[in-house]
Amino acid sequence: MSAKVSIILSIYNSEKSVKKTIQSILNQDYKRFELIVINDGSTDNTKKILAKYKKQNKIRIFNFDHNLGLAGRLNFG
């Protein structure tokens, strides 16, 4: 049995690419993973797009109201 992998994806104002990015991760052959998506205070439609994935059991979504920066959000993840 393979080990479980956590994928941490920190995003900010990524409405143009976030759907394609998530779909690419979900379509991988390796299936024992969780995807942790950290929305770092996006001001575009990123949060709305992420809401469509909220019920998927492989994805955990964290939305923040302010932008902290990549290092800070990855540390959170």
Side-chain angles (χ1 to χ4, degrees), residues 28-43:
Q28 296 299 309
D29 290 336
Y30 187 81
K31 298 297 181 190
R32 290 188 42 82
F33 69 87
E34 68 176 343
L35 174 59
I36 301 168
V37 182
I38 304 167
N39 180 13
D40 191 15
S42 295
T43 56

Side-chain angles (χ1 to χ4, degrees), residues 23-56:
Q23 285 306 127
S24 177
I25 293 168
L26 292 176
N27 289 335
Q28 296 299 309
D29 290 336
Y30 187 81
K31 298 297 181 190
R32 290 188 42 82
F33 69 87
E34 68 176 343
L35 174 59
I36 301 168
V37 182
I38 304 167
N39 180 13
D40 191 15
S42 295
T43 56
D44 62 1
N45 288 318
T46 299
K47 187 174 181 179
K48 184 178 177 182
I49 294 167
L50 290 176
K52 297 175 183 177
Y53 294 96
K54 203 164 188 149
K55 294 190 180 199
Q56 292 213 13

